[in-house]
Amino acid sequence: MTRRLIVEADGGSRGNPGVAGYGSLVRDADTGALLAERAAPLGKESNNVAEYTGLIEGLRAVVDHAPGAAVTVRMDSKLVVEQMSGRWKIKHEDMKRLAAEAQALAAEISSAGGAVTYEWIPRAKNKDADKLSNDGMDGITVRRDTWGDDVERASQGGGVERAGAGADADGASSAGVGAGDPNGGGEVGGEAVVEPDEKPTGPADLGRPTRIVLVRHGVTDFTTRGCSTVAVARTRRSAPRVATRHAASRARSTGSSVTATCTS
């Protein structure tokens, strides 16, 4: 039985020509399972170039993994769909070059026993490919394949993220929640994973309290009445010290308890 696949593709340009990017994905037509995702920036290009590139990358993903499939290409670009279906002429040289590349990939699929057809869809039904094309315009390169066990995502300056490849024989992932702990605990990036129902058992230990004495220089209403002001703060420091008014304010701003006393 021939496998049936759906390619959804899109492209965009902010300025036309301007900052451009493409996006495409491959789904299993029978199960709806997502099999591949592609996105990348294109520099300064037109909207049509970006859309054709999205088509090419979607078809290339099929050729790489399931060249004998029956493929339905869905795009919200009327121009690309009509030109690739042979109903509209291709006049622009860039479009001719890209259309020829897409046709060559479609011919590979046909020669392997598959087929490629084209279908126009409203933009509202092409949201996933549109999102990927916006990733491309944002400078993000996406290459994710789930034909097998590996999932890859490469981001500009961000390396490659792999999911699924680290699962052990029992299905436990080698990274994230559940790694090394049968009860679902573990560590990610060196930080403990706290379950949602865990609650702090009490206030944090701030250590030994330190007494800070604030001495005011000059004559005030207190000094004329024969009083002095003492500020006492609980801090994390372990040694007492005489502080300025700024230090006492800082103690208050950090949640320390400050009290003022007046002695006659």
Side-chain angles (χ1 to χ4, degrees):
M1 181 178 175
T2 302
R3 188 174 193 180
R4 298 189 309 126
L5 300 176
I6 295 172
V7 171
E8 298 172 15
D10 199 7
S13 175
R14 294 167 182 165
N16 200 29
V19 176
Y22 72 84
S24 58
L25 57 93
V26 182
R27 298 185 194 276
D28 187 293
D30 296 316
T31 66
L34 186 60
L35 303 174
E37 290 176 281
R38 301 287 188 269
L42 294 173
K44 186 178 181 180
E45 292 290 355
S46 70
N47 188 64
N48 291 336
V49 167
E51 289 171 334
Y52 259 107
T53 305
L55 166 63
I56 290 168
E57 292 304 319
L59 292 176
R60 182 170 287 124
V62 174
V63 169
D64 289 345
H65 296 281
V71 181
T72 300
V73 176
R74 294 177 176 171
M75 301 182 68
D76 59 41
S77 170
K78 190 76 171 176
L79 175 73
V80 175
V81 168
E82 294 299 318
Q83 287 180 341
M84 290 301 299
S85 299
R87 293 186 288 269
W88 290 5
K89 290 183 179 181
I90 305 173
K91 298 179 180 180
H92 196 282
E93 288 304 317
D94 284 342
M95 299 302 102
K96 288 181 180 180
R97 173 180 57 81
L98 292 168
E101 190 173 351
Q103 288 165 352
L105 291 167
E108 285 190 55
I109 294 172
S110 296
S111 64
V116 180
T117 58
Y118 298 88
E119 176 185 334
W120 178 83
I121 57 174
R123 185 174 183 180
K125 293 186 177 181
N126 204 29
K127 290 182 179 179
D128 292 333
D130 178 70
K131 181 181 183 302
L132 285 166
S133 71
N134 275 283
D135 284 343
M137 284 183 276
D138 289 339
I140 300 171
T141 298
V142 177
R143 184 179 178 84
R144 180 182 292 113
D145 288 296
T146 55
W147 307 86
D149 295 331
D150 291 347
V151 178
E152 296 185 341
R153 179 184 177 95
S155 300
Q156 184 180 37
V160 177
E161 173 186 325
R162 297 181 180 269
D168 59 23
D170 297 325
S173 172
S174 62
V177 178
D181 184 346
N183 296 320
E187 291 190 355
V188 178
E191 296 182 358
V193 176
V194 180
E195 296 297 329
D197 57 348
E198 292 185 16
K199 298 179 180 179
T201 57
D205 184 8
L206 300 179
R208 250 180 103 186
T210 298
R211 183 185 299 272
I212 297 177
V213 179
L214 175 64
V215 179
R216 296 190 177 185
H217 298 280
V219 177
T220 68
D221 291 339
F222 290 107
T223 54
T224 57
R225 299 206 311 262
C227 300
S228 63
T229 301
V230 179
V232 181
R234 293 177 59 85
T235 72
R236 293 177 181 269
R237 301 184 62 88
S238 59
R241 63 188 178 92
V242 177
T244 63
R245 183 181 308 163
H246 172 70
S249 298
R250 186 172 59 185
R252 289 192 296 271
S253 69
T254 57
S256 304
S257 59
V258 180
T259 60
T261 61
C262 178
T263 58
S264 303

